[in-house]
Amino acid sequence: MKIQTIATRPIEGQKPGTSGLRKKTRVFMGPGYLENFVQATFNAIGGAKNKTFVVGGDGRFFNARAIQTILKMAAANGASKIIVGRNGLLSTPAASHLIRLHKTDGGLILSASHNPGGIDQDFGVKFNTSNGGPAPEGVTEAIYDQTRALDSFDIAEAGDLDLSKVGETELGSMKIRVIDPVADYQDLMASLFDFDKIRELFASGFNVRFDALHAVTGPYAKAILEGELGAPKGSVVNAVPLKDFGGGHPDPNPVWAHELMDLMMSGDSPDFGAASDGDGDRNMIVGRGIYVTPSDSLAVLAANAHLALGYKSGLSGVARSMPTSAACDRVAEKLGILSAETPTGWKFFGNLLDAGRVTLCGEESAGTGSNHIREKDGLWAVLLWLNILAVRRQSVGEVLSDHWANYGRDYYSRHDYEAIPTDVANSLIHDLRSRLTDLKGQSFAGLKVSDADEFSYRDPVDGSISEKQGIRIWFEGNARAVLRLSGTGTEGATLRVYLEQYAPPEADHQLDAQSALNTVRVATADLCRMEEFTGRTNPDVVT
Ligand code: VG1
Ligand code: CO
């Protein structure tokens, strides 16, 4: 095998965001762009020599090409072995599991998650460390530093490898093991859940619709729900991963999964609906006529996880990202277990999970997961819900009503203002930041601010500090708003406004969420001078 050392120069802007490096696909396809980032990653972890990695992606446009480049670079950098999914496919949770199962030195996951795919859409690369989780900030900083100092990368001169068949091959002295992307993940799920109970539920006529949104979870959901658990053929739809996800955003929320939503809200809906995102780490849960917010889903799962085999001895704690609603905190309090609040992004849960401090984690953006891997896991959340329903023999709506009657309801919604010019978005945040201390005691649209701050996190395990993680505003009457800028977008800035209003157990829980949140929405828009800065009066996406 001939190794080429190619001279290169640092490329600006290769700073990983909330979840890896995400850019327009054409940017990634530019000369040296992917290569620089991969070399920087290897350099940042002390080289790839004699190391083993998992490589795979969500199948989007450029996935297959990028994997060939990564294999050739890994070989040239002296890696000893690569485990890769057949045809280059691996969901993010499956990749996390494989890293742990085979005790590899980490993995490279190719995905821009819920962002659309295609030559004019988005691509991304994420490095996960040996615990199976997204690289923590210390590692992503080191990668970024390397991208700014790079002067060459190494790549093997070789033809493309055939990744279409399971088996072993070699590239120079590096072994390449092509595996079935689903099998190990399926075994893991079978070890956590009571599959017999779920089988009985399906056999009793309980029907499901799982919408894979033409993304990577299709083959996993087909094999598990239809294959192993006996859901009727056709329960999993849009199950073949497409390079452009059929032209949509593979984002499991009521906006992008509207086909599923329409079905679930119709008179003739299945008992249970679910969807997952591009790389399979997110989930959306819908009951007959009722959408479950991700924040509520986390709380319900925390309160009921003990009904599933893998969690029968209880939870050590629950963690949520800061913008996620307080619903799961109420469960943790009742259970007498730790509840932790972390910045946005799964990488902040890793230390808490590794240390055994928490068992379940979740984010308002439709990510839920547990200590079974170190990523959020879409299908896992679906199976845990099904396991709970199979034991409780209640509908999704009944489980939710029950939950609210016990704990109260945290009305919740996220409003996204997309493609705002970056300088405008930054000015809005700067302005808000400069007024934070004055806000307390002021009233906006009749709502009085009881407190305001900017979230900063000190990791209790390694002591690292992450600042400027979002602005929090609490209002009298148990309402909260959070404002932060997205770290996964590829065009301008996306301002996320997270709105929350608590209604205690004895209150009315059947209000429409947007109506219940209207006062806090108006107050927040007023307070942050939304229209003055952005000219916008309404968000682009409401979830
Ligand atoms: C978004 C979500 C965040 C999630 C991240 C990656 O980040 O808000 O909760 O962890 O995407 O998810 P941001 O910075 O755009 O708000 V995924 O499924 O893209 O790996
Ligand atoms: Co994702």
Side-chain angles (χ1 to χ4, degrees):
M1 180 187 75
K2 192 161 166 249
I3 296 173
Q4 288 183 297
T5 298
I6 313 257
T8 189
R9 267 196 268 166
I11 299 175
E12 247 178 65
Q14 294 200 319
K15 189 177 169 64
T18 312
S19 180
L21 182 66
R22 233 170 254 193
K23 296 284 173 198
K24 288 284 163 208
T25 310
R26 284 190 198 272
V27 172
F28 259 106
M29 293 167 73
Y33 198 91
L34 171 70
E35 291 84 345
N36 271 23
F37 189 71
V38 172
Q39 188 64 54
T41 302
F42 288 152
N43 294 354
I45 57 167
K49 201 165 175 49
N50 298 328
K51 290 185 178 163
T52 305
F53 299 102
V54 169
V55 178
D58 64 10
R60 68 180 59 222
F61 187 88
F62 194 53
N63 188 66
R65 278 253 48 79
I67 288 185
Q68 295 290 341
T69 301
I70 291 170
L71 291 178
K72 289 171 199 174
M73 288 187 67
N77 278 274
S80 61
K81 187 174 175 184
I82 299 285
I83 297 168
V84 58
R86 186 178 50 225
N87 293 322
L89 286 186
L90 279 180
S91 74
T92 289
S96 179
H97 176 50
L98 287 166
I99 293 170
R100 298 166 66 76
L101 183 68
H102 297 286
K103 299 191 168 50
T104 74
D105 299 283
L108 285 148
I109 304 174
L110 292 84
S111 171
S113 189
H114 56 290
N115 296 20
I119 191 163
D120 290 314
Q121 300 296 342
D122 295 349
F123 192 77
V125 178
K126 183 164 83 151
F127 178 68
N128 281 32
T129 50
S130 60
N131 72 344
E137 279 197 329
V139 178
T140 55
E141 281 299 325
I143 295 173
Y144 181 48
D145 287 346
Q146 287 292 335
T147 68
R148 293 190 291 179
L150 207 68
D151 56 16
S152 71
F153 61 82
D154 291 341
I155 186 160
E157 219 180 73
D160 281 356
L161 289 125
D162 178 11
L163 304 178
S164 67
K165 283 177 212 74
V166 166
E168 291 230 357
T169 120
E170 271 167 13
L171 182 54
S173 56
M174 184 179 84
K175 288 201 165 41
I176 298 173
R177 198 167 139 209
V178 181
I179 57 150
D180 172 351
V182 176
D184 293 310
Y185 178 83
Q186 189 166 348
D187 290 347
L188 178 65
M189 293 302 112
S191 74
L192 295 172
F193 302 115
D194 195 335
F195 273 15
D196 285 336
K197 272 243 150 53
I198 303 177
R199 232 175 257 128
E200 277 168 31
L201 180 73
F202 288 165
S204 74
F206 181 97
N207 45 25
V208 294
R209 165 73 65 103
F210 183 99
D211 193 335
L213 300 175
H214 307 284
V216 79
T217 329
Y220 295 86
K222 273 245 167 226
I224 298 174
L225 296 176
E226 293 183 9
E228 190 159 359
L229 296 171
K233 295 263 168 300
S235 300
V236 180
V237 297
N238 300 322
V240 177
L242 301 177
K243 283 184 186 165
D244 67 347
F245 308 117
H249 289 220
D251 196 351
N253 62 39
V255 178
W256 291 108
H258 55 88
E259 245 173 57
L260 176 68
M261 279 302 281
D262 291 349
L263 174 71
M264 297 307 295
M265 299 303 144
S266 72
D268 190 27
S269 83
D271 297 291
F272 184 85
S276 189
D277 71 333
D279 61 331
D281 56 0
R282 295 189 181 195
N283 72 91
M284 177 171 98
I285 305 292
V286 207
R288 186 172 271 163
I290 190 164
Y291 165 69
V292 184
T293 68
S295 294
D296 273 350
S297 177
L298 174 65
V300 168
L301 295 182
N304 293 280
H306 62 277
L307 301 177
L309 206 66
Y311 308 92
K312 67 171 193 297
S313 49
L315 311 175
S316 59
V318 189
R320 63 165 171 90
S321 68
M322 179 275 283
T324 305
S325 93
C328 73
D329 302 4
R330 304 181 202 287
V331 177
E333 200 185 338
K334 224 172 217 180
L335 293 174
I337 57 174
L338 177 77
S339 71
E341 185 181 31
T342 58
T344 296
W346 210 262
K347 59 187 168 212
F348 295 101
F349 293 131
N351 279 348
L352 297 171
L353 290 164
D354 284 350
R357 295 193 189 201
V358 300
T359 313
L360 292 199
C361 307
E363 294 192 279
E364 54 65 43
S365 54
T368 338
S370 88
N371 58 355
H372 68 293
I373 53 169
R374 293 295 179 271
E375 284 279 5
K376 51 191 187 271
D377 189 344
L379 200 46
W380 167 90
V382 171
L383 291 167
L384 182 48
W385 261 97
L386 288 171
N387 196 147
I388 291 165
L389 296 176
V391 174
R392 290 184 55 161
R393 287 292 176 135
Q394 283 175 308
S395 70
V396 173
E398 284 163 347
V399 169
L400 267 185
S401 295
D402 221 47
H403 190 90
W404 295 333
N406 257 319
Y407 299 94
R409 176 173 180 185
D410 295 88
Y411 285 102
Y412 189 88
S413 181
R414 186 177 93 189
H415 291 191
D416 290 336
Y417 296 79
E418 294 180 339
I420 299 177
T422 308
D423 53 335
V424 170
N426 286 336
S427 314
L428 183 148
I429 294 288
H430 283 155
D431 174 68
L432 196 52
R433 186 176 286 139
S434 71
R435 293 187 287 125
L436 271 182
T437 43
D438 302 334
L439 286 175
K440 199 170 164 175
Q442 289 190 47
S443 287
F444 299 87
L447 262 195
K448 195 167 184 185
V449 175
S450 55
D451 211 350
D453 74 0
E454 186 160 31
F455 183 54
S456 151
Y457 179 66
R458 185 180 179 280
D459 186 301
V461 179
D462 66 18
S464 61
I465 291 178
S466 305
E467 288 174 324
K468 300 189 174 153
Q469 296 296 325
I471 288 172
R472 306 189 279 191
I473 296 144
W474 291 271
F475 298 96
E476 282 181 356
N478 271 316
R480 183 184 79 154
V482 170
L483 291 96
R484 63 176 281 279
L485 298 179
S486 157
T488 56
T490 56
E491 254 176 71
T494 294
L495 174 65
R496 301 203 196 282
V497 182
Y498 310 80
L499 304 170
E500 191 174 348
Q501 172 69 61
Y502 180 61
E506 61 282 3
D508 180 2
H509 301 136
Q510 303 305 326
L511 298 177
D512 161 68
Q514 299 306 325
S515 322
L517 292 163
N518 198 45
T519 313
V520 53
R521 180 187 71 82
V522 175
T524 305
D526 190 6
L527 178 157
C528 77
R529 303 173 176 163
M530 181 67 85
E531 196 176 351
E532 197 180 310
F533 277 103
T534 66
R536 309 269 179 99
T537 46
N538 283 308
D540 301 281
V541 178
V542 172
T543 56

